[in-house]
Amino acid sequence: MKLTAFETEIDSKILDRGLDYFKRDKILDVKKNDDRHYTFTVEGTKPYTVTVTFAEDRNTITHTQCDCPYDKGPFCKHQVAAFYHLSVSLGLKGMGINDTNLRLSLSRLYKNELIELLVEMAVKYPSEQEYLLMKHAKYRLYPDLRYLKMNFVEKIEFYLNGRDDLTSYTLMDVTDDLAQVVDIAREIDELVLFFNTQLFFYTEVLMIKEYTQDQFGSIDALLTYILFEMQQRLDQHSFITSAKKSNIVVTLEMTLDHKLYDTHMQKSVQLIDAFKDYLEEDLPRRKYIALINKKMDICNQMGDGTNYKELEQLKQYVEQWYGG
């Protein structure tokens, strides 16, 4: 396959996804082993490795491989992203700019990326700053929480609603895109709002698990990632007021009141466990213990001895560590 003609030989859907990955800077690292051998690290559900080998003409691709699990065709989106990178960096293809291409490129950007682009333009062209502020600026909380939640749900609906061909590869695509929204939520400074948003994301992803077969573990990987983001935020804030911690525990309780968590009790236990080391103050600790007791009662009613025992151990840990 010629690098200069790869777009004519790859399925259009995979081509679009690969171009999207290239334009979103999903290529994390490029190693030029020599003039004919390249190794790429491309961001996905996890970092994937793409290798590309050329013939002497440095245009004919003699071998390419990606270690992602995609097996529905000869090339995956991670390889396509690498092809686009090579075609531009080697001067074989320019990403031509016209009105149509510009609109397409901008439509693929997230809100925070568009903001960064506008800021860069304003710095480069100071005379335009006042125009941008006066015509377009609307002073809202950033990130716009309503937008983030709506965007998260819209991405799920786009991929999953009314589809008969739902596959594990589709789940990989949707979880990749949802992880991008989770990343944007890092910018939320206010702690209670941050946890409210991340717990909303967690619940929406858990709902996907209810009616899909996640062969590659993409959903569980995203759930783990969201949980990690919450734990990171707790670790980064050495001092959180008692009132704020209490509000966070209440937010957690409201989330776990969803019936979904009764059928996924292990996920309830994991979420509760994430907060056990941040309960120095009496008020949030009492609310936390009350939440554990509520979930233990549900386990009793359901005959769920395994999760009951884990919750009991959590309760003992908190009472012993903090002295009741």
Side-chain angles (χ1 to χ4, degrees):
M1 180 180 71
K2 298 288 187 183
L3 184 63
T4 46
F6 76 89
E7 290 171 307
T8 64
E9 300 190 35
I10 297 175
D11 178 79
S12 60
K13 190 177 292 186
I14 298 299
L15 201 66
D16 286 344
R17 291 173 181 170
L19 178 59
D20 182 56
Y21 265 43
F22 170 67
K23 289 186 174 181
R24 287 189 187 282
D25 296 323
K26 292 276 195 173
I27 296 177
L28 304 177
D29 185 54
V30 182
K31 290 181 181 176
K32 181 180 178 182
N33 305 316
D34 55 47
D35 285 344
R36 294 174 48 217
H37 298 84
Y38 293 81
T39 303
F40 296 81
T41 302
V42 184
E43 183 181 356
T45 308
K46 64 177 185 177
Y48 293 112
T49 300
V50 174
T51 57
V52 180
T53 301
F54 288 105
E56 292 293 340
D57 63 1
R58 294 182 66 204
N59 183 21
T60 304
I61 298 174
T62 58
H63 180 263
T64 179
Q65 186 173 348
C66 179
D67 63 358
C68 80
Y70 181 77
D71 62 0
K72 295 296 184 182
F75 305 105
C76 67
K77 61 188 175 184
H78 311 104
Q79 289 168 290
V80 172
F83 298 159
Y84 274 113
H85 177 93
L86 286 166
S87 63
V88 172
S89 64
L90 296 177
L92 302 176
K93 177 182 179 65
M95 299 303 287
I97 297 295
N98 55 42
D99 185 65
T100 302
N101 285 343
L102 182 60
R103 287 178 182 277
L104 177 62
S105 297
L106 291 176
S107 71
R108 294 177 183 272
L109 297 178
Y110 289 114
K111 184 178 178 180
N112 68 318
E113 295 171 323
L114 286 168
I115 290 172
E116 288 300 317
L117 178 61
L118 285 171
V119 169
E120 287 178 16
M121 296 302 293
V123 170
K124 188 172 183 179
Y125 302 103
S127 62
E128 300 297 323
Q129 289 181 11
E130 185 175 353
Y131 169 78
L132 286 170
L133 287 172
M134 295 301 293
K135 183 171 182 179
H136 299 290
K138 292 183 180 179
Y139 299 98
R140 302 183 194 171
L141 179 67
Y142 177 77
D144 186 328
L145 303 187
R146 185 179 64 176
Y147 167 79
L148 279 182
K149 291 181 177 181
M150 181 178 68
N151 192 19
F152 201 84
V153 172
E154 284 178 349
K155 286 182 183 298
I156 294 172
E157 291 177 346
F158 173 78
Y159 279 100
L160 305 184
N161 269 11
R163 292 191 62 157
D164 298 323
D165 60 341
L166 186 60
T167 67
S168 293
Y169 302 105
T170 304
L171 290 178
M172 288 176 63
D173 287 334
V174 69
T175 51
D176 282 352
D177 278 2
L178 294 177
Q180 296 287 330
V181 185
V182 173
D183 288 344
I184 296 171
R186 287 181 192 151
E187 303 296 326
I188 302 172
D189 291 326
E190 209 288 316
L191 280 176
V192 179
L193 292 178
F194 171 81
F195 285 103
N196 175 283
T197 304
Q198 295 290 6
L199 288 167
F200 172 86
F201 292 162
Y202 194 96
T203 303
E204 290 293 319
V205 176
L206 192 56
M207 286 181 185
I208 301 175
K209 192 176 178 70
E210 279 281 276
Y211 57 89
T212 56
Q213 302 250 338
D214 187 21
Q215 180 183 348
F216 300 138
S218 304
I219 296 174
D220 280 326
L222 182 55
L223 289 170
T224 300
Y225 183 60
I226 296 170
L227 189 60
F228 174 77
E229 286 292 310
M230 290 190 280
Q231 290 175 313
Q232 283 281 97
R233 179 58 64 93
L234 288 168
D235 289 338
Q236 290 166 3
H237 286 74
S238 56
F239 177 75
I240 305 173
T241 66
S242 175
K244 227 157 226 195
K245 284 184 183 178
S246 297
N247 287 336
I248 291 170
V249 174
V250 169
T251 302
L252 175 62
E253 181 180 10
M254 292 172 65
T255 299
L256 296 182
D257 278 343
H258 196 297
K259 288 297 181 184
L260 180 70
Y261 287 96
D262 292 348
T263 56
H264 291 276
M265 186 60 72
Q266 184 58 40
K267 298 301 181 185
S268 296
V269 175
Q270 290 173 359
L271 284 171
I272 293 170
D273 180 79
F275 294 86
K276 71 179 186 295
D277 293 317
Y278 308 92
L279 301 167
E280 294 86 354
E281 298 83 4
D282 180 63
L283 181 59
R285 187 164 64 250
R286 282 192 284 111
K287 289 181 179 295
Y288 184 86
I289 294 292
L291 173 58
I292 291 178
N293 287 334
K294 181 192 288 189
K295 285 297 173 181
M296 288 174 68
D297 288 342
I298 294 172
C299 286
N300 251 335
Q301 295 166 16
M302 298 174 61
D304 185 351
T306 301
N307 286 305
Y308 181 93
K309 188 172 182 180
E310 288 194 33
L311 288 165
E312 188 176 41
Q313 290 171 346
L314 262 177
K315 181 179 177 180
Q316 290 171 354
Y317 171 88
V318 172
E319 289 176 339
Q320 291 171 7
W321 183 257
Y322 299 105

